[in-house]
């Protein structure tokens, strides 16, 4: 039919293609200018309690794009939506405060979101500060990664085996070259073996390429700091490119580690961390990993305060584990390696 010929004619298709291209450009420009994006709700911290300063400190430690302002419950009722209200728990709530809370609860939940401060930090900062995590927390059996018949858990282990095997084969020439450079640098050992805490706190032997000068067996464990003089010339570049971690692929194949998970720490350092940081032992609820949410989101841990920050990301990962989150961490890790941002 003539209509069919007209529809598939090259001039007609070119006209439609030009129109669609123009329309897509206009939509892209409008989206960039925020025309089709609804206004972001204001965020407020409502009430006063001992946790207020902890919430504000956590917000300032890793500030998002939006600001967090404090309000009393009386003023929160007068705020126009859209708004997100993180309500601090009150131990001595009177009838007037209960009346105000009922008034907030009666609002349209699409315009006024009432959440806890911990939920606010989880959504906005993608971490769970240990000092704000309640005790008891979620049960070990309720975690997505520990459900007996979890498909994602089985896929994670299969991916560990397949990807680690492929990476070992592909990176074998790089590994051999790195070993040669280490030996030429100071004629010392090629590998570094260290006890680390693994799944449920069980100790295992971790494998790494040696990046530091040889130290006595009885040397006390200390944090690695920027410009650490113990790091060799070759070791500096191996650490930046994360190539010193390649032997840990053997740990992954053995089941000591996973590709993605909380980084394993030395048992002798963990004793102090467990005493000073609440919920620290819960990072052992998942198999440790070559990379993790904390490694791609926070700087290298060189103090108790840094470890506290990293634990907040580990707790977020443990609670929100998914295959999609693992893929996101993997993509961020590749970006760090390509930009030589390791330390």
């Amino acid at each position: 039919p003539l209509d069919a010929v007209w529809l598939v004619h090259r001039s007609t298709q070119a006209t439609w293609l030009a129109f669609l291209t123009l329309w897509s450009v206009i939509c892209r420009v409008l989206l960039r200018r925020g025309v089709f994006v609804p206004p972001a709700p204001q965020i407020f911290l409502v009430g006063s309690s001992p946790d207020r300063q902890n919430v504000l400190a956590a917000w300032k430690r890793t500030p998002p794009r939006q600001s967090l302002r404090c309000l009393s419950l009386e003023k929160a009722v007068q705020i126009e939506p859209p708004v997100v209200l993180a309500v601090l728990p009150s131990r001595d709530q009177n009838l007037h405060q209960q009346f105000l809370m009922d008034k907030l609860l009666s609002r349209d939940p699409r315009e006024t979101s009432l959440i806890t401060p911990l939920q606010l930090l989880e959504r906005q900062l993608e971490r769970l500060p240990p000092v704000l995590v309640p005790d008891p927390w979620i049960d070990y059996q309720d975690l997505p990664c520990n459900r007996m018949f979890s498909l994602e858990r089985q896929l994670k282990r299969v991916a560990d085996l397949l990807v680690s095997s492929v990476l070992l084969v592909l990176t074998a020439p790089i590994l051999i070259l790195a070993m040669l450079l280490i030996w030429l640098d100071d004629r010392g050992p090629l590998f570094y073996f260290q006890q680390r805490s693994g799944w449920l706190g069980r100790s295992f032997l971790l494998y790494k390429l040696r990046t530091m000068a040889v130290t006595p067996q009885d040397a006390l464990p200390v944090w690695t700091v920027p410009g650490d003089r113990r790091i060799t010339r070759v070791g500096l570049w191996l650490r930046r490119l994360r190539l010193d971690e390649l032997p840990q692929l053997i740990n992954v194949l053995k089941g000591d580690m996973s590709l993605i998970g909380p980084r394993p720490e030395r048992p002798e350092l963990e004793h102090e961390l467990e005493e000073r940081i609440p919920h620290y032992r819960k990072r052992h609820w998942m198999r440790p990993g070559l990379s993790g949410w904390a490694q791609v989101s926070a700087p290298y841990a060189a103090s108790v305060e840094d470890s506290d920050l990293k634990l907040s990301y580990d707790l977020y990962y443990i609670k929100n584990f998914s295959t999609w989150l693992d893929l996101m961490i993997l993509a961020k890790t590749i970006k760090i390696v390509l930009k030589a941002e390791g330390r």
Side-chain angles (χ1 to χ4, degrees), residues 289-329:
L290 271 171
S291 184
W293 188 234
Q295 277 60 52
V296 299
S297 303
Y300 189 88
S303 65
V304 175
E305 291 72 22
D306 292 342
S307 296
D308 180 271
L309 177 63
K310 287 215 162 188
L311 178 62
S312 67
Y313 288 104
D314 287 335
L315 294 177
Y316 177 89
Y317 175 76
I318 290 170
K319 181 176 181 291
N320 297 279
F321 160 74
S322 67
T323 301
W324 172 248
L325 183 56
D326 274 7
L327 291 174
M328 187 187 303
I329 295 170

Side-chain angles (χ1 to χ4, degrees), residues 208-233:
K208 292 183 70 174
L209 289 175
R210 184 176 61 85
T211 59
M212 291 187 175
V214 180
T215 56
Q217 292 286 342
D218 56 351
L220 294 175
V222 294
W223 298 99
T224 304
V225 296
D228 201 313
R229 294 185 177 182
R230 296 173 297 168
I231 301 176
T232 63
R233 291 173 299 176

Side-chain angles (χ1 to χ4, degrees), residues 190-328:
L190 303 178
F191 295 96
Y192 179 64
F193 305 100
Q194 193 177 65
Q195 289 291 328
R196 295 288 179 99
S197 296
W199 183 50
L200 300 180
R202 299 169 184 170
S203 182
F204 71 96
L205 193 64
L206 179 133
Y207 311 137
K208 292 183 70 174
L209 289 175
R210 184 176 61 85
T211 59
M212 291 187 175
V214 180
T215 56
Q217 292 286 342
D218 56 351
L220 294 175
V222 294
W223 298 99
T224 304
V225 296
D228 201 313
R229 294 185 177 182
R230 296 173 297 168
I231 301 176
T232 63
R233 291 173 299 176
V234 174
L236 178 64
W237 287 102
L238 292 178
R239 294 169 76 94
R240 284 184 178 178
L241 297 171
R242 301 285 180 97
L243 296 179
D244 60 318
E245 313 284 355
L246 285 178
Q248 291 170 43
L249 292 171
I250 300 174
N251 288 118
V252 176
L253 291 175
K254 290 174 60 179
D256 298 328
M257 298 175 61
S258 176
L259 290 173
I260 306 297
R263 281 295 295 168
E265 189 54 86
R266 287 173 286 180
E268 55 269 24
L269 290 178
E270 284 194 323
H271 295 311
E272 179 186 4
L273 297 175
E274 289 173 11
E275 291 178 359
R276 298 181 59 179
I277 305 176
H279 303 285
Y280 187 85
R281 294 285 298 180
K282 290 182 175 61
R283 70 193 307 273
H284 295 151
W285 284 5
M286 283 199 72
R287 208 175 299 275
L290 271 171
S291 184
W293 188 234
Q295 277 60 52
V296 299
S297 303
Y300 189 88
S303 65
V304 175
E305 291 72 22
D306 292 342
S307 296
D308 180 271
L309 177 63
K310 287 215 162 188
L311 178 62
S312 67
Y313 288 104
D314 287 335
L315 294 177
Y316 177 89
Y317 175 76
I318 290 170
K319 181 176 181 291
N320 297 279
F321 160 74
S322 67
T323 301
W324 172 248
L325 183 56
D326 274 7
L327 291 174
M328 187 187 303

Side-chain angles (χ1 to χ4, degrees), residues 90-153:
S90 178
R91 297 178 182 176
D92 51 348
Q93 193 174 52
N94 53 42
L95 292 176
H96 178 63
Q97 290 176 325
Q98 184 60 50
F99 170 76
L100 295 176
M101 279 299 302
D102 291 340
K103 202 169 182 180
L104 288 174
L105 289 168
S106 65
R107 286 188 177 188
D108 188 338
R110 295 170 298 179
E111 297 183 344
T112 301
S113 177
L114 295 177
I115 58 177
T116 66
L118 188 62
Q119 288 175 321
L120 173 67
L121 297 177
E122 182 177 0
R123 294 178 188 179
Q124 295 290 327
L125 306 183
E126 295 181 319
R127 66 188 189 91
L128 293 168
V131 70
L132 296 174
V133 173
D135 200 0
W137 194 39
I138 55 178
D139 186 70
Y140 174 81
Q141 303 296 337
D142 294 333
L143 294 176
C145 57
N146 295 321
R147 292 170 187 158
M148 184 174 295
F149 300 105
S150 170
L151 178 60
E152 288 188 324
R153 177 183 176 181

Side-chain angles (χ1 to χ4, degrees), residues 163-174 249:
V163 176
S164 297
S165 301
V166 172
L167 285 178
L168 271 176
V169 174
L170 294 179
T171 60
I174 300 175
L249 292 171

